[in-house]
C-alpha cells in the first residue's frame, strides 16, 4: 500500500526532460526493495541514476549542511524542532511507502504455511504473547498462553510438544527505526509497557540482561533475517518488504485491536490507513488502527 506515493512519482518525473544526472540517496533497508525497483524504472525513463545505499543514519546525513546525499529514507519523520534547527536546508517530510513491521520465526518441523495447502496458516501472536516474548515473561514455546491462543489444533499440538527456549532476536545497532516501530506498537498494545519502557530504538539493559528471556543481538535488517533463519526456535522482526523479497514465509499472524487475527497481506494492511489524516508536516501516527481488519503494528 502506498501513502502519498504520488509525491515520489512527481519527483521522478520532473527529471525526465532534463539531461541525465546521478542522485545519491541513503536510508534504511526497510524501504530498500521498493526503492531499488523504482530507481531501476527511473533510469529507464530518464537515463538518470539513483544510487541508494543502506545506511541507518540517512536522515541524519541529510541534515548536514554539506550533506553527500540528495534525499534519504527513514522510518522516522523529521520532528518540527529538527526542521526548525536547519531552516537553510529546507528539510521536508514526504510520505511515499507504508508497510508494517512483522514478526518472523524459526520453528523446526512446525506447520508450514504452504501455497499448496492454504488451510495451514502461520503462527498466531496475540498482543499479550508478543509482549511476553520481548519482555521476558514468556520464555518457552510451550508456554500455556502461547498454546491456548492458537486458532488451530495443529498449532496447539505442535507448541504443546515444543519444550524449547525462545530466542528473541533484537536489533542492537544504533538509530534503529525497526525497533522504534516495534516498541511503539507495544506501547499502543499495553499501558504497562508504555509506562515502563515506552518507545525506544536501543534495547535497554534491564530487558536484555535483567529478565529470564534469551535475547540475541543482530545488526541490520538482513542480519536479523539471517540470524532468525539459522537459529532454531527463534523469533525476530523485520519490515514486510525484507521478508517478502527474501521469500521468507514464516511470518506470524497478529491479533489486532478488535481482537481479530490478521495476516500481513494487503487485505489487512490497507484498512490501517482508512480515515488517516496527515498533519501539516505530512506526518501521521498510525499504530493499532481501530478498523476490525487492520494489521496492528505501526507502519
Amino acid at each position: 500500500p502506498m501513502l502519498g506515493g504520488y509525491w515520489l512519482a512527481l519527483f521522478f518525473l520532473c527529471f525526465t526532460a532534463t539531461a541525465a544526472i546521478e542522485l545519491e540517496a541513503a536510508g534504511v533497508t526497510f524501504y530498500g526493495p521498493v526503492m531499488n525497483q523504482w530507481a531501476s524504472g527511473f533510469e529507464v525513463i530518464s537515463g538518470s541514476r539513483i544510487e541508494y545505499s543502506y545506511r541507518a543514519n540517512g536522515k541524519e546525513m541529510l541534515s548536514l549542511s554539506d550533506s553527500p546525499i540528495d534525499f534519504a529514507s527513514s522510518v522516522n519523520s523529521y520532528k518540527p524542532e529538527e526542521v526548525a534547527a536547519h531552516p537553510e536546508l529546507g528539510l521536508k517530510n514526504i510520505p511515499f511507502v507504508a508497510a508494517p513491521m512483522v514478526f518472523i520465526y524459526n520453528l523446526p518441523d512446525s506447520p508450514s504455511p504452504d501455497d499448496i495447502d492454504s488451510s495451514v496458516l502461520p503462527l498466531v501472536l496475540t498482543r499479550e504473547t508478543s509482549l511476553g516474548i520481548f519482555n521476558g515473561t514468556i520464555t518457552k514455546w510451550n508456554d500455556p498462553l502461547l498454546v491456548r491462543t492458537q486458532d488451530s489444533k495443529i498449532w496447539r499440538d505442535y507448541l504443546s510438544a515444543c519444550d524449547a527456549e525462545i530466542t528473541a532476536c533484537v536489533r542492537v545497532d544504533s538509530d534503529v527505526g525497526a525497533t522504534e516501530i516495534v516498541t511503539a506498537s507495544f506501547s499502543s498494545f499495553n499501558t504497562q509497557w508504555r509506562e515502563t519502557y515506552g518507545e525506544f530504538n536501543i534495547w535497554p539493559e534491564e530487558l536484555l540482561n535483567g529478565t529470564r528471556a534469551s535475547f540475541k543481538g543482530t545488526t541490520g535488517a538482513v542480519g536479523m533475517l539471517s540470524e532468525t533463519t539459522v537459529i532454531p526456535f527463534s523469533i525476530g522482526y523485520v519490515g514486510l518488504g525484507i521478508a517478502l523479497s527474501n521469500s521468507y514465509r514464516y511470518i506470524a499472524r497478529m491479533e489486532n485491536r478488535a481482537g481479530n487475527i490478521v495476516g500481513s497481506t494487503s487485505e489487512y494492511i490497507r484498512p490501517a490507513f482508512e480515515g488517516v489524516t496527515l498533519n501539516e508536516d505530512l506526518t501521521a501516527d498510525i499504530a493499532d488502527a481501530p478498523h476490525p481488519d487492520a494489521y496492528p503494528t505501526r507502519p
Side-chain angles (χ1 to χ4, degrees):
M2 304 292 297
L3 180 60
Y6 58 86
W7 286 107
L8 197 62
L10 181 62
F11 171 75
F12 281 176
L13 291 174
C14 71
F15 287 102
T16 58
T18 66
I21 61 172
E22 194 162 304
L23 297 172
E24 295 290 334
V28 293
T29 49
F30 189 85
Y31 301 121
V34 70
M35 184 64 73
N36 289 330
Q37 183 179 13
W38 286 347
S40 296
F42 180 49
E43 184 173 4
V44 169
I45 64 173
S46 69
S48 298
R49 296 189 63 191
I50 296 176
E51 291 292 334
Y52 183 78
S53 58
Y54 294 146
R55 298 182 187 178
N57 66 336
K59 189 178 76 169
E60 284 66 36
M61 291 174 62
L62 193 62
S63 301
L64 300 174
S65 57
D66 57 348
S67 176
I69 61 175
D70 298 295
F71 66 94
S73 73
S74 173
V75 297
N76 307 312
S77 60
Y78 281 116
K79 295 179 173 61
E81 56 269 25
E82 292 176 311
V83 174
H86 303 283
E88 75 284 0
L89 298 179
L91 298 173
K92 294 187 182 299
N93 295 305
I94 303 177
F96 65 99
V97 171
M101 196 64 57
V102 296
F103 293 102
I104 56 175
Y105 59 90
N106 179 349
L107 289 170
D109 302 317
S110 65
S112 175
D114 196 316
D115 293 337
I116 297 175
D117 183 2
S118 59
S119 66
V120 179
L121 297 173
L123 174 77
V124 168
L125 289 179
T126 64
R127 302 152 85 79
E128 190 174 359
T129 56
S130 60
L131 280 161
I133 289 172
F134 286 92
N135 71 13
T137 58
I138 294 178
T139 60
K140 284 195 169 186
W141 284 107
N142 64 354
D143 185 283
L145 185 61
L146 266 174
V147 174
R148 188 170 64 249
T149 51
Q150 300 307 306
D151 61 355
S152 66
K153 184 177 184 300
I154 189 171
W155 268 109
R156 290 192 294 273
D157 290 346
Y158 173 84
L159 291 179
S160 294
C162 187
D163 187 31
E165 295 280 343
I166 298 172
T167 298
C169 295
V170 299
R171 294 280 294 274
V172 294
D173 37 338
S174 61
D175 191 39
V176 181
T179 296
E180 189 169 326
I181 288 176
V182 167
T183 56
S185 299
F186 286 165
S187 292
S188 68
F189 293 172
N190 182 270
T191 301
Q192 184 176 357
W193 177 285
R194 182 168 63 250
E195 294 176 349
T196 305
Y197 306 112
E199 178 181 325
F200 55 79
N201 56 17
I202 297 177
W203 287 87
E205 284 297 316
E206 61 186 292
L207 275 174
L208 294 181
N209 299 313
T211 68
R212 295 181 297 117
S214 174
F215 286 101
K216 169 66 176 177
T218 68
T219 301
V222 175
M224 170 70 79
L225 184 66
S226 298
E227 292 286 1
T228 308
T229 300
V230 300
I231 299 175
F233 306 107
S234 63
I235 186 169
Y237 52 90
V238 295
L240 177 61
I242 297 297
L244 294 181
S245 65
N246 286 275
S247 301
Y248 200 85
R249 297 178 300 162
Y250 302 96
I251 302 172
R253 290 175 294 149
M254 294 289 295
E255 178 193 21
N256 65 15
R257 188 198 291 191
N260 297 322
I261 304 303
V262 295
S264 55
T265 62
S266 59
E267 176 185 359
Y268 301 109
I269 298 170
R270 289 182 186 276
F273 299 95
E274 288 193 10
V276 170
T277 301
L278 295 179
N279 301 321
E280 288 185 4
D281 61 352
L282 301 183
T283 62
D285 185 10
I286 309 166
D288 207 20
H291 193 287
D293 293 328
Y295 196 80
T297 62
R298 194 186 87 179

